[in-house]
Amino acid sequence: MSAHKLVIIGSGPAGYTAALYAARADLAPVLYEGLQPGGQLTITTDVENFPGFPEGVIGPDLMERMKAQAARFGADIRPGFIQSVDFSERPFVLDDGEQKIEAEAVIVATGATAKLLGTKGEDHLMGYGVSACATCDAAFFRDVHVAVIGGGDSAMEEGDYLTKFANKVTIIHRREEFRASKIMLKRAQDNPKIEFLTNTVVDEMVSKDDNRRLAALKLRNTESGEATTMPIDGAFVAIGHKPNTEIFADKLDMNEKGYLVLGEGTRTNVEGVFAAGDVADAEYRQAITAAGTGCMAALDAERWLASQGIS
Ligand code: NAP
């Protein structure tokens, strides 16, 4: 088994940008796409804030373009999911479940995944009226009443998007104040199809008798304690994300939320392992910042490899 100079784990804006830069630097990078090729942007529609697209761009199209650009310069883009890593000595060893591959340097760009409530019924009804992705599933909810759970930008964005299909959207938030930015909150508040239910939590997602299909939400007012049941056709959970760092537990430094903690630039605590994108960013979490750090990680990896006599 001969070691690759650089393996990139993950295929969002961070991974593809790292692959583009590394390929142009003649590092012949291998990129593993992971469980969601293209990353989170493949489950969004319009991206209006990626510079260079004044009319906006469709998320999956943007990712296809990034992939094609990296491939054009020779990046070896592979379907597959790295299941475990051994960073204890170099070359590092990565296992995709079918084979082990060696790498002199690694860029971790595994991103983050939507969080779920963990409420009763949620698991059972996921895909049966419950969803964590409005942009994937909204079209299944035409002319019905749906709920969005959350109070951040994601909840506002999903709520707004859902009104293209549903005839009524109720945004359910556990507090009175919203974490969402003013502009996103106002857009949702100004949407006549959206109503808000604050200080409210979902205690249970209930299915129809003898039918695996969401029928109602059992709600509780956090101030009065009053319990109510809201008949509903769909529920979209939009309560944030968690970083995809399980396979790096006890191997890479991470904070209490599981985000990788970086040293100088994109360096992790393991020499030769770099990180980019949402996996190490709980704060900005934008496609453009992920792409930017992907570029930085490739440059950091290139310079570090050169310092090891590998180019
Ligand atoms: P977020 O800002 O972390 O907000 C999560 C929301 O879910 C909060 O309101 C939180 O309530 C609520 N929540 C969390 N756990 C919950 C639970 N167990 N039960 C009930 N509610 C729960 O996450 P986000 O909305 O996904 O946004 C993440 C980042 O992406 C932000 O920086 C955001 O600006 C950005 N973003 C930007 C856009 C855009 O610009 N187009 C779109 C989407 C996201 P509390 O407030 O009470 O904690």
Side-chain angles (χ1 to χ4, degrees):
M1 171 165 66
S2 70
H4 298 283
K5 285 184 230 176
L6 175 65
V7 173
I8 297 160
I9 313 175
S11 60
Y16 283 145
T17 305
L20 167 64
Y21 272 75
R24 297 188 80 247
D26 270 347
L27 294 178
V30 174
L31 179 147
Y32 277 84
E33 291 186 304
L35 290 179
Q36 190 177 53
Q40 292 182 70
L41 279 193
T42 57
I43 53 169
T44 55
T45 48
D46 296 340
V47 179
E48 295 179 333
N49 53 10
F50 200 89
F53 296 91
E55 314 301 333
V57 58
I58 303 294
D61 291 353
L62 179 61
M63 297 321 299
E64 274 306 314
R65 284 166 167 264
M66 286 194 197
K67 179 178 179 176
Q69 197 171 355
R72 178 184 155 205
F73 292 99
D76 178 356
I77 298 167
R78 302 180 179 178
F81 176 68
I82 298 298
Q83 299 185 355
S84 65
V85 293
D86 182 352
F87 290 157
S88 59
E89 56 183 5
R90 292 203 300 268
F92 306 123
V93 180
L94 294 80
D95 188 344
D96 72 1
E98 286 175 8
Q99 59 167 337
K100 290 184 182 348
I101 62 161
E102 288 185 349
E104 300 289 353
V106 170
I107 294 175
V108 176
T110 48
T113 303
K115 284 199 289 191
L116 297 178
L117 290 168
T119 198
K120 193 174 172 196
E122 181 183 46
D123 252 8
H124 181 64
L125 292 170
M126 186 58 67
Y128 298 86
V130 179
S131 169
C133 174
T135 44
C136 316
D137 299 329
F140 300 121
F141 295 86
R142 279 178 202 277
D143 302 324
V144 294
H145 179 199
V146 300
V148 175
I149 298 117
D153 282 343
S154 296
M156 302 309 133
E157 187 175 63
E158 303 227 328
D160 229 19
Y161 183 67
L162 278 158
T163 60
K164 291 186 185 184
F165 304 92
N167 58 23
K168 181 177 169 188
V169 174
T170 303
I171 295 180
I172 300 171
H173 180 38
R174 63 184 177 183
R175 291 190 295 142
E176 189 63 40
E177 295 75 33
F178 289 90
R179 194 175 291 275
S181 56
K182 281 195 183 121
I183 185 171
M184 305 279 284
L185 177 61
K186 183 159 190 323
R187 195 178 291 174
Q189 284 170 333
D190 288 347
N191 188 324
K193 285 183 167 181
I194 295 181
E195 66 167 29
F196 288 86
L197 207 51
T198 52
N199 298 318
T200 303
V201 291
V202 177
D203 277 339
E204 187 178 343
M205 297 179 172
V206 188
S207 53
K208 289 184 174 141
D209 295 338
D210 303 326
N211 190 354
R212 189 176 181 187
R213 184 80 210 165
L214 178 71
L217 298 176
K218 286 195 178 171
L219 304 175
R220 181 168 39 88
N221 185 295
T222 53
E223 293 195 318
S224 66
E226 187 193 357
T228 51
T229 298
M230 174 189 268
I232 204 88
D233 301 292
F236 290 80
V237 181
I239 60 168
H241 294 80
K242 68 170 175 17
N244 299 320
T245 50
E246 288 85 354
I247 63 168
F248 308 111
D250 303 324
K251 291 170 180 153
L252 296 179
D253 285 350
M254 45 185 86
N255 67 16
E256 71 288 349
K257 288 188 172 165
Y259 286 90
L260 297 186
V261 175
L262 303 183
E264 196 189 333
T266 60
R267 288 162 186 76
T268 68
N269 57 304
V270 176
E271 204 185 320
V273 179
F274 306 84
D278 287 11
V279 72
D281 173 18
E283 193 175 345
Y284 302 104
R285 294 184 283 198
Q286 301 299 302
I288 188 65
T289 52
T293 55
C295 160
M296 288 162 62
L299 295 176
D300 286 343
E302 182 189 354
R303 287 168 193 161
W304 179 80
L305 284 165
S307 76
Q308 305 296 305
I310 302 164
S311 59

